[in-house]
Amino acid sequence: MTMPDCIFCKIVNKELPSDIVYEDDNVIVIKDANPKAPVHFLIIPKKHILSVDHIELEDKALMGDLILTAKKIAKEKNLKGYRLLINVGREGGQVIDHIHLHLLSGNQ
Ligand code: AMP
Ligand code: ZN
């Protein structure tokens, strides 16, 4: 489930500090440390999956959870509109090799 040298696994395991917005059995939501919009959250599955390229059929429900969590947080935070973004691979802008959904709002 976890990878020893993965920053997001360490955040999930509370071995590294983060600003946690929401957490349940499968997902954690944190504030992005270097926000690219007035509201910038990262929705992270607790399971270590490297990227969208590494999703398996068994991860289908978990990927749905990420989007439902985004909707829940957006509602809680009263966001009028927002963007959801997943970077895939270095050439797709992915820097951290643990899949995550960016929730961005407030810069349109
Ligand atoms: P990506 O480029 O899609 O892999 O996004 C990685 C995101 O993680 C970037 O927006 C970073 O600002 C953010 N980030 C990196 N390290 C941390 C951290 N320790 N806590 C919170 N956000 C982080
Ligand atoms: Zn990880």
Side-chain angles (χ1 to χ4, degrees):
M1 275 299 253
T2 63
M3 287 286 276
D5 290 327
C6 172
I7 288 178
F8 284 174
C9 283
K10 285 184 176 160
I11 283 176
V12 164
N13 293 326
K14 317 280 164 64
E15 292 162 22
L16 272 182
S18 68
D19 203 336
I20 299 173
V21 173
Y22 171 83
E23 182 174 13
D24 62 26
D25 287 347
N26 300 316
V27 176
I28 191 167
V29 181
I30 64 171
K31 288 189 181 169
D32 195 292
N34 181 19
K36 282 91 184 167
V39 175
H40 189 172
F41 300 134
L42 300 173
I43 300 162
I44 306 169
K46 291 190 171 179
K47 178 182 178 184
H48 181 89
I49 301 169
L50 205 156
S51 78
V52 167
D53 269 344
H54 297 76
I55 296 170
E56 303 287 350
L57 259 183
E58 66 182 28
D59 301 317
K60 215 168 152 180
L62 183 57
M63 295 310 292
D65 272 357
L66 299 187
I67 295 179
L68 286 170
T69 302
K71 176 189 161 187
K72 187 207 300 271
I73 299 300
K75 190 164 187 181
E76 271 178 24
K77 301 285 181 190
N78 247 321
L79 303 181
K80 301 273 179 279
Y82 53 97
R83 290 191 298 136
L84 299 177
L85 174 81
I86 301 179
N87 295 320
V88 186
R90 289 290 171 273
E91 301 202 2
Q94 184 175 5
V95 172
I96 299 197
D97 290 336
H98 178 135
I99 198 169
H100 50 282
L101 180 65
H102 295 259
L103 192 169
L104 300 131
S105 184
N107 60 353
Q108 291 304 306

